[in-house]
Amino acid sequence: IHPPSRGTSILTLAIDDLVKTFGEVKAVDHVSFEVEEGAFVCFLGPSGCGKTTLLRIIAGLEQADTGAVRLGGVDMSGVPARKRNFGVVFQSYSLFPNMSAQRNVGYGLECRGWSKSERQKRACEMLDLVGLADQARKLPSEMSGGQQQRVALARALAPNPSLLLLDEPLSALDAKVRDTLRQEIRSLQQRLGITTVMVTHDQDEALAMADTIVVLNGGKIEQIGHPRDLYTRPASAFVAGFIGHMNVLPVTRNGSGFHFSNTILDVDEADPGQGDIRSLGIRPEAIEVASSHGANAPRNVVPGEVRAVTFLGNLTRIEVAPDAQKDTVLTLELHGACDIPKLGDGLSLRLPSHALKVLP
Ligand code: ATP
């Protein structure tokens, strides 16, 4: 199977100022962005942030109030879902229960006027592609959840769609199958070079699979970017907290640094400006244990007390309540066979200036 040939046209997906309301609820609130051909984009956000509605508008299953969806410059507004040539995979597989895997995969081709022999050949190719060549005659009820979702994927890809839309395709599967299928979908998508948009509420899934993540909150784009950029440079406390764990420290300005728990924190970040900065963020893996523990802590060192110790195999997660600000518990992660402190121990934490981020 080769990447579908689409001549020289660049099929950029452009979402232009989409708005969708349900009564009082603004499910999608002036959303605009572009997806390059061949990219894998994830819509990520908490329940109710509008990610499914946005995907359904792109699929043509929902009508936007205003705004446009364009593919390769062509406005899709008047094009019904079945004529968009988009492959869609749902969380619930949505296979026909009385049809074999092969007939399920070939079904969309029948509607497009492919002959029986062409359909059978294509269905076999597609089942082979998703590792189910030997399951062609099975009914969905005779297959595992992971296998059924592979069939659904093969069915979506069979007509050579110009866009693949995935609505939480892995969330009904158990953790191990989910991890395997996550890698399989990503490598298949890269091999075929098909532009893909996936909805997920699982940040690990988005980080592992996407070229670009669109973080949504209350129907609006909170931040859009490469997974690594969202993790290292979150644009808001919301993104920082949603993508990985971020310790959020309430601070007040103190000269060139920030005051937190009777300590002054210096921050390297290029001129954080004189604006109204109230919180700094630091990832658990960036916090270090300071060599000495005492009341007169130097800058960027916070004395505290160990409140929780959780052994997680390859790392140990420790929660520390700062002595002078006990309500802001800091989480850090220690790797390998280092000395693990005990509950109630005094522990001073070094918050390196390069790792502290100003959270707007
Ligand atoms: P989830 O992860 O829970 O599926 P989501 O981020 O996909 O959430 P949407 O399903 O897009 O969110 O819903 C966004 C908002 O629009 C929610 O407040 C939801 O209740 C509302 N909504 C969605 N569809 C409808 C509908 N058909 N009628 C009324 N309200 C709706």
Side-chain angles (χ1 to χ4, degrees):
I1 305 273
H2 298 289
S5 161
R6 304 187 191 99
T8 52
S9 69
I10 299 295
L11 288 178
T12 304
L13 172 68
I15 305 302
D16 187 7
D17 203 24
L18 282 183
V19 175
K20 176 71 185 177
T21 46
F22 295 105
E24 298 286 293
V25 178
K26 267 204 170 171
V28 178
D29 193 0
H30 296 283
V31 166
S32 303
F33 60 90
E34 283 195 356
V35 180
E36 270 178 39
E37 182 170 17
F40 195 120
V41 175
C42 276
F43 295 163
L44 177 68
S47 184
C49 70
K51 48 196 188 300
T52 302
T53 304
L54 191 51
L55 190 88
R56 288 175 58 82
I57 294 171
I58 296 171
L61 299 170
E62 198 82 67
Q63 185 90 40
D65 300 344
T66 55
V69 174
R70 292 192 188 84
L71 189 67
V74 178
D75 189 348
M76 293 276 132
S77 308
V79 184
R82 65 195 151 77
K83 296 240 166 112
R84 290 193 182 191
N85 192 29
F86 297 168
V88 187
V89 176
F90 300 99
Q91 179 181 344
S92 54
Y93 325 137
S94 307
L95 298 176
F96 298 108
N98 55 339
M99 288 186 194
S100 67
Q102 185 176 333
R103 278 197 63 208
N104 262 289
V105 175
Y107 182 80
L109 306 176
E110 195 172 337
C111 308
R112 286 173 168 83
W114 291 41
S115 73
K116 190 170 177 192
S117 63
E118 284 173 331
R119 288 200 310 268
Q120 282 176 344
K121 184 166 174 283
R122 181 67 173 167
C124 288
E125 275 175 15
M126 298 315 293
L127 285 171
D128 191 29
L129 191 70
V130 297
L132 292 179
D134 55 349
Q135 309 282 320
R137 297 191 179 283
K138 287 207 173 155
L139 292 173
S141 58
E142 296 167 328
M143 308 178 100
S144 70
Q147 288 173 328
Q148 290 182 59
Q149 200 54 305
R150 284 195 180 91
V151 174
L153 187 63
R155 180 177 63 181
L157 290 170
N160 239 346
S162 39
L163 193 63
L164 180 63
L165 303 173
L166 309 172
D167 188 2
E168 304 248 14
L170 306 177
S171 45
L173 304 170
D174 70 50
K176 203 150 185 158
V177 179
R178 202 162 57 216
D179 277 2
T180 312
L181 209 50
R182 186 191 276 181
Q183 287 166 24
E184 284 180 16
I185 291 177
R186 176 58 165 155
S187 79
L188 193 60
Q189 181 270 335
Q190 286 176 318
R191 249 192 307 153
L192 299 178
I194 183 166
T195 312
T196 301
V197 180
M198 182 172 89
V199 162
T200 181
H201 61 270
D202 180 337
Q203 44 127 337
D204 289 340
E205 206 163 283
L207 289 173
M209 295 177 84
D211 296 305
T212 300
I213 300 178
V214 179
V215 182
L216 293 161
N217 184 20
K220 289 185 195 297
I221 294 182
E222 190 79 26
Q223 190 172 1
I224 179 163
H226 186 273
R228 192 177 294 274
D229 291 337
L230 295 195
Y231 190 79
T232 53
R233 287 195 293 279
S236 65
F238 176 84
V239 176
F242 202 76
I243 299 198
H245 180 79
M246 179 74 98
N247 292 293
V248 178
L249 287 53
V251 293
T252 48
R253 219 174 239 293
N254 190 306
S256 61
F258 295 89
H259 185 263
F260 170 73
S261 181
N262 280 354
T263 302
I264 304 299
L265 300 175
D266 290 322
V267 177
D268 282 359
E269 215 166 275
D271 185 26
Q274 293 302 313
D276 187 19
I277 293 163
R278 296 209 189 121
S279 25
L280 297 179
I282 186 163
R283 298 284 183 194
E285 66 273 20
I287 298 183
E288 299 162 7
V289 174
S291 46
S292 64
H293 178 65
N296 285 332
R299 289 166 91 96
N300 286 60
V301 172
V302 177
E305 183 188 305
V306 175
R307 284 290 173 81
V309 178
T310 313
F311 177 65
L312 294 167
N314 61 333
L315 57 89
T316 302
R317 185 168 297 142
I318 314 243
E319 289 179 17
V320 172
D323 287 342
Q325 198 143 347
K326 292 192 190 301
D327 55 341
T328 306
V329 171
L330 299 177
T331 302
L332 69 149
E333 287 168 356
L334 299 178
H335 288 261
C338 53
D339 283 344
I340 303 298
K342 295 187 294 301
L343 220 58
D345 279 358
L347 193 70
S348 286
L349 305 180
R350 178 181 306 285
L351 314 185
S353 56
H354 64 81
L356 282 162
K357 308 282 172 209
V358 168
L359 296 178

